[in-house]
Amino acid sequence: MSATGFGPQSAPQSTSPAKLVVDGVSKWFRTPRADVQALDNINLRVEDGEFICLVGPSGCGKTTLLDIIAGLTPADQGRVLDDDKPVDGPGRHRLVMFQEPALFPWLDVFGNVMFGLKRTPGLTDKQRREIADQHLQLVGLEKFKHAFVHELSGGMKQRIALARALAPDPHVLLMDEPFAALDAITREQLYGDLQEIWRSRKKTIILVTHDVREAACLGDRVFLLSPSPGRIREEFKIPLARPRDINSPELAAIVQRMTLALRNHLGPRKEAAE
Amino acid sequence: MKRTLVGVAFFAALLLIWQAATASGRWSPVLLPSPWLVAEYLWDALRDGSLLEATAVTMKRLLVGYFIGVAIGLPLGLITSTSRYFEDTIGALALGLQTLPSVCWVPLALLWFGQTEMAMLFVVVMGTVWSVVIATSAGARNIPPIYARAARTMGSEGFDKWTRVILPAALPYVVSGMKQGWAFAWRSLMAAEIFVTILTGFGLGQVLQYGRELSSMDQVIGVMLVIVLIGLIADKVLFSPWERFLHRRWGTGFK
Ligand SMILES: Nc1ncnc2c1ncn2[C@@H]1O[C@H](COP(=O)(O)OP(=O)(O)O)[C@@H](O)[C@H]1O
Ligand SMILES: [Mg+2]
C-alpha cells in the first residue's frame, strides 16, 4: 500500500475489523501565492474503542487530517472508511472537538449540548433531555446547565464541548488540540477526566496535539508526524496501565524516546528545505 | 430607583426652564407657548380622540411597512452573503439605496401609487429594507467559520443551518441593522406624512402639518412630543429586549 517504508505503513496489521481506516490520503492547498502539500499518503487503521494520538509540530497537517476524517474537507487522494463505508461528508458518527472554542453563544450550556441531539433521529424529546443531562453530569457541570458560554472558564468550555460531542453517541470522537489553550493544572484535570470518560463510554478517539507528553499520557498508540508535507513517521505503542499520571517516571521515559525520535524526523527535513 | 429620580428631576428641570422662558415675556406666546398650553392641547386632543386616531394611523403604517421590510431584508441579506456575485450586485444596490435618504422615495412613490396608503407603505418598506439587507449580509459573512463547521458535523444543513446557526450567529449585526432600519423608516414616514395628505387616514405627520398651517404652536410642539415619545417607547419595546439578550449571551457591554 505504501512504498515509503515508515513504521505504520509497512507494519503488518491485525486482521480484526478496524473502526476507521485512513487509506493513502494526500491533500494539497492551492492558493494564489503557493501550492502547499499539507498531507502525503497518510495511512491509519484504528480499532474499535482505541485511543489514538497524532503528534507533530504546528503546520504538519493535523487539523487538515481531522477535517478529512470528519468529512469537512475532501481528500485529494485516498479515502477514509468509517465502518467500511467511505466518508463523503460530515456526519454525526464522527464528531469533532475543535481547536478553537466552537460553542454557540446564542444558546445556553444545555442548548449547546442539545444541539447535536436535536438533530439525531430516533429519540424522543424526553430522551434527548435526559441524555443531555447525563452528559453534563459526566463532565461535572450539571450546575451550569443554564449558564451562558461567556460565563464559563476555558476549561469549562472545553468540558461542555466534550459533552456536546459525546452526547449524540458518535462512533469516533475527533479531538483537535482540545487542551492547548488551557493552563497546566486544568489540563491535568482534564487528562484524568478524559481517560475516565473514554474508559466508561468505550469510544474510539483520535486526538491530535503538538504535546508529546499529552499524547503519551492519553494514547494507546501514538503516531509521530513531520511537516511539509505532513507524513506519519513512526508509531509508538504505549503499554502503560490506566489511568495514567502525566507526571509518572514511566511516562517520562517514553516521552523522552518519542521526543528524540521526533527530533530525528524533523531535523534532516529542515536542512533539506533550506 | 435612584436612576428614575435623576431622570424625573432632569425633565422637571427642563420643564421649569421652558416655563420660565415663556413667563419672562421675551418671546411671543404664538411662537413659544407655555408648557401648560401644550399640555392643554394634548389633553383636548386625547379626549376628542383625534390624537389617538392619528397615532394609530401612523403606527399601523409604520409597523406593517417595517415588518414587510424586515421580512424581505433578512432573507435577501442572507442570500447576498452566500456569494461574491450577490455581494457585488444585490449588496452594491443595497448600499447605494441605503445612502439615499429615504425621503427621496416619496416623489417616486406618489407618482407610482398616487396619494394612497400604498405610497406610504412603499416609503416605509424602502426605509427599512436596505439597512436590514446590509447588516444581515455583513453579519452572516463575519461569522466565525468554526460555527458553521461545528454545525455541519452535528447534522445541521440547509434551511436548518441558515435559521439555527447563521442567523443567530449574525444576530448582533442583524439587531443593529433592524434598529437602523426602524430609524430610517420612522423618519421617512414622518416626512411623507408632512409632505402629502392621504384621505384614507390622517397620521401624526399630517396633524403636525395642520398645526403649522393653523399657526398653532401648541399643536406643533404637542405632536412633536408625541413623536419623540413613540420613538422612545419603540426603542424600549422593540429593541431593548434584543439588546439585553445579546449582552447577556455574548457577554458584551459594561457592567
Ligand atoms: N485553507 C487552507 N488554505 C491554504 N493552506 C492551508 C489551509 N489549511 C491549512 N493549510 C496549510 O496546510 C498545512 C497544514 O495545516 P494544518 O492542518 O492547520 O496544520 P496543524 O493543524 O498541524 O497546525 C499548513 O502549511 C497550512 O498553512
Ligand atoms: Mg491545527
Side-chain angles (χ1 to χ4, degrees):
Chain A
M1 195 194 295
S2 152
T4 50
F6 294 122
Q9 283 93 342
S10 51
Q13 295 292 342
S14 68
T15 47
S16 72
K19 186 85 202 171
L20 193 104
V21 176
V22 179
D23 181 13
V25 162
S26 297
K27 177 81 189 172
W28 286 263
F29 286 108
R30 292 182 182 80
T31 59
R33 260 160 288 131
D35 270 14
V36 182
Q37 184 171 12
L39 295 173
D40 180 31
N41 190 25
I42 302 289
N43 292 284
L44 274 180
R45 293 173 59 87
V46 184
E47 312 293 329
D48 199 3
E50 225 182 345
F51 199 142
I52 294 290
C53 293
L54 304 167
V55 200
S58 151
C60 70
K62 302 183 297 290
T63 299
T64 309
L65 180 58
L66 281 197
D67 276 1
I68 291 172
I69 296 174
L72 285 167
T73 308
D76 291 329
Q77 270 171 21
R79 58 189 186 153
V80 176
L81 300 175
D82 181 3
D83 259 349
D84 295 329
K85 286 182 288 291
V87 166
D88 60 354
R92 65 172 174 283
H93 299 310
R94 297 172 313 281
L95 289 185
V96 190
M97 226 181 121
F98 293 95
Q99 194 168 358
E100 314 113 87
L103 297 175
F104 300 146
W106 57 95
L107 299 173
D108 63 5
V109 162
F110 188 71
N112 270 286
V113 179
M114 283 290 282
F115 191 92
L117 284 170
K118 277 191 182 156
R119 286 150 186 85
T120 307
L123 294 172
T124 65
D125 223 43
K126 187 158 165 281
Q127 285 170 325
R128 292 192 171 105
R129 291 172 172 282
E130 281 167 12
I131 295 173
D133 282 329
Q134 281 164 16
H135 282 82
L136 283 175
Q137 262 167 32
L138 188 69
V139 298
L141 288 177
E142 64 273 26
K143 285 208 197 78
F144 293 85
K145 188 174 174 179
H146 297 299
F148 297 120
V149 174
H150 73 94
E151 296 165 342
L152 307 173
S153 69
M156 289 156 88
K157 279 184 196 148
Q158 289 306 61
R159 279 171 206 262
I160 299 299
L162 181 61
R164 177 172 82 169
L166 281 174
D169 200 25
H171 298 161
V172 182
L173 181 61
L174 305 169
M175 306 179 80
D176 189 357
E177 305 197 32
F179 310 127
L182 304 178
D183 62 89
I185 297 170
T186 311
R187 215 177 322 161
E188 287 181 20
Q189 267 172 5
L190 281 168
Y191 293 152
D193 293 356
L194 183 60
Q195 291 186 71
E196 173 57 27
I197 287 168
W198 172 73
R199 191 192 60 74
S200 64
R201 297 293 311 276
K202 302 250 176 297
K203 283 276 164 265
T204 307
I205 299 184
I206 302 179
L207 180 144
V208 307
T209 175
H210 59 251
D211 184 345
V212 177
R213 264 181 114 67
E214 179 171 302
C217 175
L218 295 173
D220 293 325
R221 289 189 288 154
V222 175
F223 295 87
L224 304 186
L225 272 71
S226 68
S228 346
R231 285 195 179 129
I232 295 186
R233 291 309 192 108
E234 199 165 338
E235 172 184 345
F236 281 82
K237 287 203 165 62
I238 314 290
L240 302 179
R242 291 178 187 272
R244 296 176 189 156
D245 177 2
I246 187 115
N247 297 313
S248 77
E250 296 93 327
L251 196 79
I254 295 176
V255 169
Q256 195 180 15
R257 285 205 345 251
M258 280 173 28
T259 310
L260 276 177
L262 194 60
R263 211 174 283 159
N264 270 337
H265 292 306
L266 298 180
R269 280 212 64 83
K270 264 211 183 119
E271 277 155 27
E274 275 158 13
Chain B
M1 191 61 216
K2 200 174 159 202
R3 283 177 64 193
T4 327
L5 277 181
V6 170
V8 169
F10 174 74
F11 287 103
L14 276 188
L15 276 176
L16 271 178
I17 293 170
W18 178 6
Q19 172 62 26
T22 50
S24 73
R26 286 176 57 128
W27 294 280
S28 143
V30 178
L31 292 183
L32 186 66
S34 76
W36 304 114
L37 278 174
V38 174
E40 211 175 287
Y41 160 76
L42 285 175
W43 179 244
D44 290 344
L46 264 181
R47 278 214 319 206
D48 70 17
S50 63
L51 194 57
L52 285 181
E53 199 180 317
T55 306
V57 167
T58 295
M59 288 314 286
K60 190 177 155 219
R61 287 171 182 160
L62 184 64
L63 287 173
V64 172
Y66 180 69
F67 284 112
I68 293 175
V70 171
I72 297 173
L74 284 180
L76 204 58
L78 289 178
I79 291 170
T80 306
S81 73
T82 57
S83 112
R84 207 167 285 162
Y85 296 110
F86 289 142
E87 189 55 37
D88 292 342
T89 50
I90 305 175
L93 181 75
L95 202 62
L97 293 181
Q98 190 223 21
T99 56
L100 179 75
S102 33
V103 195
C104 302
W105 288 104
V106 175
L108 182 142
L110 288 176
L111 288 175
W112 276 4
F113 302 106
Q115 282 171 264
T116 61
E117 287 296 331
M118 239 353 242
M120 292 286 149
L121 199 66
F122 182 76
V123 170
V124 175
V125 172
M126 286 299 129
T128 309
V129 86
W130 308 116
S131 299
V132 177
V133 169
I134 290 167
T136 309
S137 145
R141 273 180 295 116
N142 282 302
I143 292 175
I146 194 91
Y147 291 162
R149 277 151 39 91
R152 274 182 74 201
T153 60
M154 289 186 286
S156 177
E157 297 274 358
F159 186 73
D160 184 67
K161 181 184 78 178
W162 285 101
T163 54
R164 296 308 165 103
V165 181
I166 297 187
L167 199 55
L171 209 58
Y173 285 82
V174 173
V175 168
S176 73
M178 282 171 60
K179 205 168 163 174
Q180 193 183 42
W182 171 267
F184 286 174
W186 183 222
R187 283 160 179 66
S188 56
L189 176 62
M190 281 305 105
E193 283 188 352
I194 290 172
F195 205 29
V196 273
T197 308
I198 284 168
L199 298 174
T200 46
F202 295 95
L204 286 171
Q206 279 136 345
V207 179
L208 188 64
Q209 176 66 358
Y210 286 148
R212 185 193 78 93
E213 281 166 8
L214 301 171
S215 286
S216 74
M217 203 56 176
D218 51 353
Q219 181 168 341
V220 169
I221 292 178
V223 175
M224 281 172 70
L225 285 178
V226 172
I227 291 172
V228 168
L229 202 65
I230 290 174
L232 284 177
I233 291 172
D235 198 69
K236 279 271 169 291
V237 172
L238 284 178
F239 299 109
S240 284
W242 285 105
E243 282 168 347
R244 268 203 307 278
F245 179 90
L246 291 180
H247 286 326
R248 284 194 50 199
R249 305 220 164 194
W250 268 255
T252 49
F254 311 85
K255 267 195 311 175

